[in-house]
């Protein structure tokens, strides 16, 4: 069984001398939105997260090197660098050294991203990436989508993208990804579930040992056939 106590998350670019691509939206902005949402979800699931993104850098090498040093000092079990692509394509791909855990996690993430409508471009073996080569744990770089693709950027939702990456990680490390969030109406904390692609209310009810009627009632749902990906349902 693969254990995940600590994960290193690197929000690509976002530092001096290290600026990302710019398309319809800027890569720096998207990396930060997805990366921060991902960190929140991982922490919500009780995983120790180390954010490797430097606040300051004196060169591109320094920016990349700082990320690796923080990851290596954290004893993290896995490293994920969040990026967005440009160059006229569409969809998501994962860059890593092929084989083993890196490829397994990469494929799980790509399958989840495919489930929310991003084309699966597969694993791309890259032997020349600084953050992959200089981190001691298994490492991947996720190119979530193309920031110059109208198709990808149309209604791009960082919460749903982060959720897909999170669920891919959870699948491989066998983490139950139900999580606790603040009750919406000041009713303290409660168990909630974010709807993922392919789910229906009866399946969610079964998963939590509750009933469709109960979910309909506490969530004020008017049509039990109409739930949507990314919707957060109160469970109890
Ligand atoms: Zn990048």
């Amino acid at each position: 069984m693969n254990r995940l106590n600590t994960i290193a998350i690197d929000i690509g670019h976002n530092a001096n001398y290290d600026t990302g691509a710019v398309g319809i939206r800027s890569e720096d902005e998207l990396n930060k939105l997805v990366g921060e949402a991902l960190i929140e979800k991982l922490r919500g699931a009780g995983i120790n997260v180390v954010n490797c993104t430097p606040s300051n850098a004196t060169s591109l090498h320094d920016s990349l090197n700082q990320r690796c040093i923080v990851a290596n000092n954290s004893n993290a079990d896995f490293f994920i660098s969040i990026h967005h692509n440009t160059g006229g394509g569409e969809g998501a791909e994962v860059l890593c050294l092929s084989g083993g855990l890196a490829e397994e996690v990469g494929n799980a993430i790509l399958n989840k991203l495919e489930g929310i409508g991003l084309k699966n471009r597969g694993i791309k073996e890259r032997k020349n990436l600084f953050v992959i080569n200089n981190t001691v744990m298994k490492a991947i770089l996720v190119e979530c989508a193309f920031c110059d693709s109208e198709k990808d950027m149309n209604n791009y939702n960082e919460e749903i993208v982060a959720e897909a990456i999170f669920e891919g990680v959870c699948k491989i490390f066998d983490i139950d990804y139900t999580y606790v969030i603040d009750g919406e109406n000041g009713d303290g904390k409660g168990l909630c579930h974010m709807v993922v692609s392919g789910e229906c209310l009866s399946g969610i009810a079964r998963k939590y040992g509750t009933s469709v009627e109960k979910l309909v009632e506490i969530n004020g749902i008017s049509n039990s056939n109409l739930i949507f990906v990314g919707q957060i349902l109160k469970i109890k």
Side-chain angles (χ1 to χ4, degrees), residues 110-128:
L110 288 171
N111 286 336
K112 292 285 182 181
L113 289 171
E114 194 175 3
I116 60 164
L118 289 160
K119 182 180 171 190
N120 184 346
R121 301 167 62 88
I123 301 277
K124 303 268 166 78
E125 162 130 82
R126 287 284 295 272
K127 293 181 171 167
N128 60 345

Side-chain angles (χ1 to χ4, degrees), residues 184-196:
E184 298 228 316
N185 304 314
D187 54 355
K189 300 226 167 194
L191 183 63
C192 292
H193 175 86
M194 187 188 276
V195 179
V196 297

Side-chain angles (χ1 to χ4, degrees), residues 13 20-21 27 31 83-84 143:
H13 311 290
E27 188 195 351
N31 291 351
H83 287 256
H84 288 75
E143 297 276 7

Side-chain angles (χ1 to χ4, degrees), residues 12-13 18-21 27-28 31 81-86 141-143:
H13 311 290
D18 187 355
T19 312
E27 188 195 351
D28 280 42
N31 291 351
S81 187
I82 299 294
H83 287 256
H84 288 75
N85 229 330
T86 44
L141 190 151
V142 182
E143 297 276 7

